[in-house]
Amino acid sequence: MYKDRVFAEKRTTITPFRFNENVARVFDDMLVRSVPLYGEVLKQQARIAHQYYKAGTHIFDLGCSHGNLGILLLDCFDGVGFKMIAVDSAEPMIQRFKRRLAVHDSHGCIDLACACIENIEISNASVVVINLTLQFLDAEKRDSLIQSAFNGLCKGGILLLTEKTIHPDSQMNALEQEYYYQFKRENGYTELEISQKRDALERVLVPETVADHENRIQKAGFSSFNVWLKWFNFTSMMAVK
């Protein structure tokens, strides 16, 4: 695993964050050190997806990056066939996922698409997963994507969503942010790295409140909603059609 040093050197100009080759190369380290409980979230999502998957349908992983969830699903299904469509707009991520599948996916269970997730037609799905991805879309695209997920899910299908969130109370929001920065410090990031990445993500990653997500999901028509894990400003949710 290559160590994330993308923002380790002081920059004169901070450009907007992009999922380019430099980020893809160190992405596993970045995830472990930047996303609290990342491994636990994916492990439980894989189990839930396995439970809700219906033969003859599809699992959609929208914003799949380099395929950590897909690899876990291959382990969960343990040789039993399933069909998954994994989508990401970053070509470096898709290429890394493709190389992993060449080793792990001997049955061709996972199809890859390098595309913007808002342009994907979701149909015949029993599971839709969107992890740390909705937050990068414009507000109107978020609404339409969740509606598309609902429309494309079969009855009883499940949406799994993980997002960085904000608290509506400014004092609580500041507390959550500070504990998150402390998490990053404890994982070896310097103040310079934290500051420069925060600047690079400004206006690129725009978080919402949990209530915003719940309202959008209910408006789309889902019959139930649940926050199943929350770590300060990171929230994992599920909704059933």
Side-chain angles (χ1 to χ4, degrees):
M1 184 189 297
Y2 292 102
K3 187 172 182 179
D4 173 21
R5 292 184 52 81
V6 172
F7 294 97
E9 301 297 328
K10 184 168 180 58
R11 302 183 181 187
T12 55
T13 302
I14 304 297
T15 58
F17 186 87
R18 294 289 181 267
F19 291 96
N20 54 26
E21 180 59 39
N22 288 336
V23 170
R25 182 172 177 268
V26 300
F27 199 53
D28 273 324
D29 184 63
M30 183 180 288
L31 287 168
V32 170
R33 296 166 64 206
S34 299
V35 181
L37 301 177
Y38 173 75
E40 180 66 17
V41 168
L42 260 62
K43 180 174 72 174
Q44 300 307 332
Q45 284 184 334
R47 290 174 174 174
I48 295 168
H50 180 257
Q51 177 181 335
Y52 274 81
Y53 177 73
K54 296 180 180 179
T57 68
H58 294 90
I59 298 169
F60 282 79
D61 185 3
L62 304 179
C64 63
S65 68
H66 63 336
N68 285 338
L69 178 63
I71 299 303
L72 282 174
L73 277 171
L74 290 168
D75 290 338
C76 272
F77 278 87
D78 193 24
V80 176
F82 67 97
K83 293 305 296 182
M84 175 176 173
I85 298 172
V87 186
D88 203 282
S89 61
E91 181 67 29
M93 293 294 188
I94 290 293
Q95 290 303 319
R96 287 177 181 272
F97 198 169
K98 185 180 296 184
R99 290 195 289 272
R100 297 176 79 184
L101 291 181
V103 176
H104 295 282
D105 188 12
S106 59
H107 298 289
C109 296
I110 301 176
D111 294 327
L112 303 182
C114 186
C116 294
I117 60 173
E118 63 268 30
N119 296 332
I120 293 295
E121 180 183 352
I122 304 170
S123 62
N124 190 33
S126 52
V127 181
V128 175
V129 183
I130 309 174
N131 279 331
L132 303 169
T133 301
L134 201 66
Q135 59 204 22
F136 290 101
L137 298 182
D138 294 337
E140 65 275 8
K141 292 181 179 179
R142 300 179 191 191
D143 292 344
S144 61
L145 181 61
I146 296 303
Q147 188 65 62
S148 294
F150 176 82
N151 294 342
L153 279 164
C154 58
K155 185 174 177 58
I158 194 165
L159 168 69
L160 300 173
L161 176 69
T162 296
E163 290 281 288
K164 192 174 182 181
T165 54
I166 56 175
H167 200 285
D169 179 90
S170 60
Q171 184 175 1
M172 286 295 174
N173 192 59
L175 183 148
E176 291 190 346
Q177 287 280 12
E178 179 51 36
Y179 271 78
Y180 176 51
Y181 295 146
Q182 184 60 30
F183 170 85
K184 298 187 80 169
R185 294 183 194 107
E186 290 170 353
N187 281 305
Y189 284 114
T190 65
E191 296 299 330
L192 178 64
E193 288 174 292
I194 293 170
S195 174
Q196 291 192 143
K197 187 172 183 181
R198 180 177 62 239
D199 291 345
L201 285 169
E202 188 175 1
R203 293 186 296 277
V204 175
L205 189 165
V206 181
E208 298 175 293
T209 66
V210 174
D212 289 332
H213 289 291
E214 182 175 6
N215 290 338
R216 179 182 292 116
I217 285 168
Q218 290 182 338
K219 184 179 177 181
F222 285 90
S223 62
S224 61
F225 171 87
N226 184 42
V227 172
W228 65 270
L229 185 147
K230 192 174 190 306
W231 190 98
F232 294 105
N233 57 343
F234 283 81
T235 308
S236 292
M237 299 158 269
M238 62 173 68
V240 176
K241 180 172 178 176

